[in-house]
Structures are given as structure tokens and as C-alpha cells.
Amino acid sequence: KQEVTQIPAALSVPEGENLVLNCSFTDSAIYNLQWFRQDPGKGLTSLLLIQSSQREQTSGRLNASLDKSSGRSTLYIAASQPGDSATYLCAVQTGANNLFFGTGTRLTVIP
Amino acid sequence: GAGVSQTPSNKVTEKGKYVELRCDPISGHTALYWYRQSLGQGPEFLIYFQGTGAADDSGLPNDRFFAVRPEGSVSTLKIQRTERGDSAVYLCASSLNVNNEQFFGPGTRLTVL
């Protein structure tokens, strides 16, 4: 069964810092990988989707990379802002079509 | 356009009662997914529909859980004889087709007293 791990579980940084969130998965036979943001008590907002054939995707201050062979992905956030404070979830989609999620990284950006 | 919507946003019920949770996917999306998220955890897959049929229900925890999508659009997740352990946020997602990006609704927070 696919297992997804996210490190660290929580992270606090001062405003303006660049940061990296890590995601690893055990089975490299994936169709795609998605990064989501979840605010407290809210649903999931899709940030970036990387197809298995791609190496990275960028959206604004966010950059996600994928190394499928090693089972790793990173989410890079540039010039962090207090509004970036949320839980970030990584999920991989396998041939079973459903997503396997990590437990998330809770990010706090301190003004 | 409108995103995925879920009703109710909150549901409080008593142990042993029956509940129904509704999901309205994005118009035109053929695939629909249900997930359950417990506090401090990532969402866990329950069931997925392609059109009207349940293509994979391997994530349903037991036979008290059932879901339907009779016309290939709206879906209802049904839980019989609720237990306190069923308390969680139930999330619905839809995608244009399988293996496409999934878009999530705001979830229904179910509390079983």
C-alpha cells in the first residue's frame, strides 16, 4: 500500500524567508502528485499538480519538484507571507485513481 | 464557475442514528471521490465513482457506509447506525476524468455524540 510521509510536521518561519516542505512516497508507480493547502476548518485548495512525466511545476511564489524514482517531492515557497500560514498536504495518485495523502506540514509565518 | 459544494457544512447526530451527506460536483466532472479526514490526519479515501457506478469502494470502513450517484452528478454518502468513531470531516472531490486534478469541496463536519 502506498504510504506518504511529510517532513517536518510543523514549521515556523519569519516573514520573507524562503522555505522547503518535503514529501516522500513508498511506491514510485504514480500517475501524478498534488500539493494542497488547507486552512483551519476548511477544505483543500489545490496548489500544484505534477504529472509523473514532469519534473516540476511553478505557480507564482510556489515551485514543486518531483523525483519519481526516489519517491520524493518538494514544495518551495519563496518570500513567505503571513497569509501563507496553513497546513500543506502532499498527495499521490496511483493506478487506483484515488489520492494517498500525507499527514501534512503545518506552516506558520511570523510577521 | 461554481466549485464542489457539500451540504450540510456541519452535522451533529446521536449514536445509532442515520445520516446522509450530499456532494454537488463541478458541472461536467465525471469522476467523484469521497474522503474522510480525522483530526490531525490527512484525508483517507472512501469511495470513487466514474459516472453513476462505484468504480472503487475499497476504502469504505464497513457495511454501515454506502454511497450513491444515481444520475452521474450529485452523490450522497449514507451512514447507518452512526458510532462516535465516525466523527470526522467528510470531503468530496471531483475531477474532469480519472487521473485528472481533483478539486475538493469544503467538507461536512460530522459529530456523533
Side-chain angles (χ1 to χ4, degrees), chain A residues 19-20 26 31 42 45 53 55-56 59 65 72 75 85 93 95-96 103-105 107:
Chain A
L19 60 102
V20 174
T26 55
Y31 279 93
K42 305 292 185 183
T45 300
S53 59
R55 297 285 298 197
E56 66 177 345
S59 175
S65 69
R72 295 178 187 276
L75 179 67
S85 297
Q93 187 164 28
T103 53
T105 294
L107 173 66

Side-chain angles (χ1 to χ4, degrees), chain B residues 28-49:
Chain B
H29 280 195
T30 63
L32 184 147
Y33 308 79
W34 284 98
Y35 296 84
R36 178 167 73 171
Q37 187 176 26
S38 300
L39 193 63
Q41 302 296 313
E44 292 184 326
F45 168 75
L46 295 176
I47 185 171
Y48 124 78
F49 290 86

